[in-house]
Amino acid sequence: MLQGHQSWIFRNKPVILSSAAVGGPFEAQGNLADDFDLLYGDIWLEQDSFEKAEKKMLEDACDTAIKKADIQKGDINFFLAGDLMNQIISSSFSARTVGVPYLGIFGACSTSMEGLALAAQLVDSGAAKYALAGTCSHNCTAEKQFRYPTEYGSQKPPTAQWTVTGAGAAVVASSGNGPRVVSATVGRVIDMGISDPFNMGAAMAPAAVDTIQAHFRDLQITADHYDIIATGDLGQVGHAIAKDLFKKHGIDVPENKLTDCGLLIYSKDQEVMSGASGCACCATVTYGHLLRRLRAGEWKRMLIVATGALLSPLSYQQNESIPCVAHAVAIEQ
Amino acid sequence: MLQGHQSWIFRNKPVILSSAAVGGPFEAQGNLADDFDLLYGDIWLEQDSFEKAEKKMLEDACDTAIKKADIQKGDINFFLAGDLMNQIISSSFSARTVGVPYLGIFGACSTSMEGLALAAQLVDSGAAKYALAGTCSHNCTAEKQFRYPTEYGSQKPPTAQWTVTGAGAAVVASSGNGPRVVSATVGRVIDMGISDPFNMGAAMAPAAVDTIQAHFRDLQITADHYDIIATGDLGQVGHAIAKDLFKKHGIDVPENKLTDCGLLIYSKDQEVMSGASGCACCATVTYGHLLRRLRAGEWKRMLIVATGALLSPLSYQQNESIPCVAHAVAIEQ
């Protein structure tokens, strides 16, 4: 139910019955390779287009999550998914395969937590017994659509980020064993006038800070409440800005508690400029790595703050700045 | 709360405190001109791009709905919106203007009822006091993005539909006066293998029938329950197919009860081929015309079944067929 102006407290603490993360060959060379359920050797996934490969990843993540939850597809009431592709085709075509009632969502790279928050809200309020949340991204589909086909080999500035090839999914249920979703905060759209699509981290950082601030205010808590706070995909540039903004706004978030999925997934040897991004960044790191550590008892409470840049190539071409949003979900073991 | 497998019964019957419909100059010549709150004489809305005009329409529809509800923007907990533009920029940029917490959604032309269903669910379960649902489309942005710029003057087959230039919004609240949202059914993705993007009605009709069938099954009711059942934008071709499918499946839906927003909005003199379509079709007809007649006491119960074709130009180019979805919302006076 509503807590404060823009947050939900989930009184029945919906359970993340299972989660799954799948990734591409580049992700297999990263820091978190062991936390993926499935790593593909071929960036095409033996499909005849990158878009079909992206769709297949989301289907595989959903399949894996459903199997791990030990339920049937037919048990799932609603599938909530979205992605970066025009008209979220990866999600809609996956929904055709999964075959359960479908709610398409879009929050760019914040989609993972928008989906998990809504899935938890539906389960918590008795509007669903089982809800499946998922999202995906593919480096080559995103580059092709938002910038240039990767085959061109175009150069990028150091503020740019590397779109993760992967997919993540989670089954949320009213009962069972697993980490529990206890609250969520839906973000406002924040636009500080940044218009450089090669500097998404800087554009998204204020949205992450705004949502975290709203979360603390609505729940009347501080950063002390959490063992770890992970933003979605701010990268080095955005992460540094977020830390500065917390200081400026007088919000105490200890450095050792604040991390960013975009800084965790790849190794230092991988040339990803400012870090990772894409819908699959926060999704795979959360559903693979972070939940594994929570389940292992390393942390008791974590806050995931997925960040999204809501631009399109066309809005950029029309000289618009980049509106951003962040959605936060609190998970407890 | 969950009713059957894919429906929600709203026990607290959230109120549609206000609704607004805005439309372009072509819509001003249509059958339902009197039911719009605002009609623009200029298809550009004095903006320097059609995309900015589309965004402005959604902003105006939201503003109008908020004013009619006699509340402040700051009272609204969540804004749920989506549209046909890549990365739903019309909605996200409007959300920047509206300035309230934002949940981006996508269901192509089914977005209107996806938004209203979720808004009602949030209000019904106590997760929101006020929720704003909105969507928009613009004939020239949709033609440019999905087919050819209108300036080319390309010809279309008689099965094609005319994208509505307009926007619709509704304020849903836990109490107050107005029509009440009593139930909703979330649709599955249905794909019967149709791959002609100039025949959306035929592609979407099976999704509409599947959702209506699920609605009747979940709620254990028949068409008798409703005074009117309005599909979103099947047009003449899709409407005829839907009627045939009801007969084939043995579902009795009397002809005088079944209508389609895509057949209502334009006059016979307007050359719109099979009928109207676009996110704004179901949104403006419902939030303007149909709700006016319900408020006037002409009907007591209506079921709105917004239909969406979840393709993209790229999925079509890659020889994919057209997955479709329909979401149903029941409204009572």
Side-chain angles (χ1 to χ4, degrees):
Chain A
M1 62 175 297
L2 188 66
Q3 173 75 24
H5 183 68
Q6 63 196 87
S7 298
W8 298 323
I9 294 270
F10 303 125
R11 296 196 184 271
N12 302 314
K13 299 187 177 181
V15 179
I16 299 177
L17 216 50
S18 69
S19 65
V22 306
F26 192 64
E27 289 62 35
Q29 297 166 31
N31 284 333
L32 311 181
D34 290 347
D35 291 323
F36 282 83
D37 293 273
L38 190 56
L39 288 161
Y40 308 96
D42 172 21
I43 201 161
W44 292 90
L45 276 84
E46 298 173 15
Q47 304 296 305
D48 59 11
S49 77
F50 288 131
E51 289 75 18
K52 287 179 184 170
E54 178 173 326
K55 179 197 72 160
K56 177 128 184 23
M57 287 193 297
L58 181 53
E59 290 172 354
D60 286 351
C62 290
D63 268 356
T64 307
I66 291 167
K67 266 182 206 144
K68 283 167 85 173
D70 201 15
I71 59 170
Q72 303 297 313
K73 276 184 188 178
D75 296 329
I76 296 165
N77 301 105
F78 308 106
F79 175 42
L80 299 101
D83 56 82
L84 290 168
M85 290 293 92
N86 297 342
Q87 290 73 55
I88 60 168
I89 48 169
S90 307
S91 299
S92 297
F93 282 82
S94 295
R96 182 177 71 179
T97 310
V98 177
V100 303
Y102 168 57
L103 291 160
I105 56 173
F106 180 79
C109 306
S110 73
T111 301
S112 56
M113 290 305 117
E114 179 180 348
L116 185 60
L118 279 170
Q121 202 286 322
L122 293 180
V123 168
D124 188 59
S125 64
K129 282 180 192 162
Y130 296 97
L132 174 67
T135 187
C136 56
S137 57
H138 191 298
N139 187 273
C140 301
T141 64
E143 290 303 319
K144 184 167 99 179
Q145 183 183 277
F146 286 100
R147 289 163 288 262
Y148 301 98
T150 47
E151 292 89 338
Y152 287 8
S154 65
Q155 286 193 310
K156 288 186 178 188
T159 52
Q161 293 175 242
W162 183 276
T163 302
V164 169
T165 300
V171 174
V172 183
S174 51
S175 63
N177 291 318
R180 289 176 172 261
V181 187
V182 293
S183 67
T185 297
V186 177
R188 292 184 302 155
V189 172
I190 304 287
D191 185 337
M192 304 302 281
I194 288 177
S195 58
D196 177 5
F198 287 113
N199 195 354
M200 301 286 197
M204 294 190 293
V209 170
D210 188 79
T211 296
I212 292 169
Q213 207 166 357
H215 182 77
F216 290 171
R217 187 176 57 234
D218 282 352
L219 274 72
Q220 300 181 305
I221 55 172
T222 64
D224 288 348
H225 189 78
Y226 294 105
D227 301 309
I228 189 86
I229 297 172
T231 49
D233 52 354
L234 299 182
Q236 286 172 32
V237 175
H239 186 62
I241 293 172
K243 284 195 286 187
D244 284 350
L245 285 172
F246 282 128
K247 270 183 206 144
K248 253 190 198 165
H249 295 200
I251 307 164
D252 184 34
V253 180
E255 290 225 358
N256 62 343
K257 274 195 186 181
L258 188 67
T259 188
D260 181 71
C261 299
L263 294 175
L264 293 171
I265 186 165
Y266 296 121
S267 78
K268 281 189 178 165
D269 305 330
Q270 292 179 294
E271 290 182 10
V272 294
M273 296 138 313
S274 181
S277 68
C279 291
C281 178
C282 187
T284 59
V285 173
T286 301
Y287 293 146
H289 178 69
L290 297 175
L291 278 176
R292 195 260 300 153
R293 291 175 71 173
L294 191 84
R295 286 185 188 107
E298 197 173 329
W299 303 313
K300 195 166 158 39
R301 295 189 184 119
M302 66 182 189
L303 184 70
I304 314 295
V305 190
T307 38
L310 305 171
L311 81 167
S312 81
L314 188 141
S315 73
Y316 163 71
Q317 286 156 6
Q318 294 189 357
N319 295 319
E320 278 281 11
S321 52
I322 304 174
C324 294
V325 75
H327 302 301
V329 175
I331 308 172
E332 286 183 7
Q333 178 55 22
Chain B
M1 63 175 295
L2 188 66
Q3 173 76 22
H5 184 66
Q6 64 196 83
S7 299
W8 298 323
I9 293 270
F10 302 126
R11 295 197 185 268
N12 302 314
K13 300 186 177 180
V15 179
I16 299 178
L17 216 50
S18 69
S19 65
V22 306
F26 193 65
E27 288 64 33
Q29 297 165 31
N31 286 334
L32 311 181
D34 291 345
D35 291 324
F36 282 84
D37 293 272
L38 190 56
L39 288 161
Y40 308 96
D42 172 22
I43 202 161
W44 293 88
L45 277 83
E46 297 173 15
Q47 305 296 306
D48 60 10
S49 77
F50 288 131
E51 289 76 18
K52 287 179 185 170
E54 178 174 326
K55 179 196 73 160
K56 176 120 184 30
M57 287 193 297
L58 182 52
E59 290 171 355
D60 287 350
C62 290
D63 269 356
T64 307
I66 291 167
K67 267 181 206 145
K68 284 167 85 173
D70 201 16
I71 59 169
Q72 303 297 315
K73 275 184 188 179
D75 295 329
I76 296 166
N77 301 106
F78 308 106
F79 175 43
L80 300 100
D83 56 83
L84 288 168
M85 290 293 91
N86 296 343
Q87 290 73 57
I88 60 166
I89 47 168
S90 308
S91 299
S92 297
F93 282 83
S94 296
R96 182 177 71 178
T97 310
V98 177
V100 303
Y102 168 58
L103 291 159
I105 56 174
F106 181 79
C109 307
S110 73
T111 300
S112 55
M113 291 305 117
E114 179 180 348
L116 185 61
L118 280 170
Q121 204 286 321
L122 293 179
V123 168
D124 188 59
S125 64
K129 281 180 192 161
Y130 296 98
L132 175 67
T135 187
C136 57
S137 56
H138 192 299
N139 187 274
C140 302
T141 65
E143 289 303 319
K144 184 167 100 178
Q145 183 184 279
F146 286 100
R147 289 163 288 262
Y148 300 99
T150 47
E151 292 88 340
Y152 287 8
S154 65
Q155 287 193 308
K156 289 185 175 188
T159 52
Q161 292 174 243
W162 182 277
T163 302
V164 169
T165 298
V171 174
V172 183
S174 50
S175 63
N177 291 319
R180 291 176 170 263
V181 187
V182 293
S183 67
T185 297
V186 176
R188 292 184 303 155
V189 172
I190 304 288
D191 186 337
M192 303 302 281
I194 288 178
S195 59
D196 177 4
F198 287 112
N199 195 354
M200 301 285 197
M204 295 190 293
V209 170
D210 188 77
T211 296
I212 292 169
Q213 205 166 359
H215 182 77
F216 290 170
R217 187 176 59 233
D218 282 353
L219 273 72
Q220 300 180 306
I221 54 174
T222 65
D224 288 347
H225 189 77
Y226 294 105
D227 301 309
I228 190 85
I229 297 172
T231 49
D233 52 354
L234 298 182
Q236 286 173 29
V237 175
H239 186 65
I241 294 172
K243 285 195 286 187
D244 283 352
L245 285 172
F246 282 129
K247 269 184 207 144
K248 253 192 197 163
H249 295 200
I251 306 164
D252 183 34
V253 180
E255 289 225 356
N256 62 342
K257 275 198 187 180
L258 187 67
T259 187
D260 181 69
C261 300
L263 294 175
L264 293 172
I265 186 166
Y266 296 120
S267 77
K268 280 190 178 168
D269 305 330
Q270 292 180 294
E271 290 183 10
V272 294
M273 295 139 310
S274 182
S277 69
C279 291
C281 179
C282 188
T284 59
V285 173
T286 301
Y287 292 146
H289 178 70
L290 297 175
L291 278 177
R292 196 259 301 154
R293 291 176 71 173
L294 191 83
R295 286 187 188 107
E298 198 173 329
W299 304 313
K300 196 168 157 36
R301 296 189 183 119
M302 67 182 188
L303 184 70
I304 314 293
V305 190
T307 39
L310 306 170
L311 82 167
S312 81
L314 188 140
S315 72
Y316 163 71
Q317 285 156 7
Q318 294 189 359
N319 294 320
E320 278 282 9
S321 52
I322 304 174
C324 294
V325 75
H327 302 301
V329 175
I331 308 173
E332 286 182 9
Q333 179 55 20

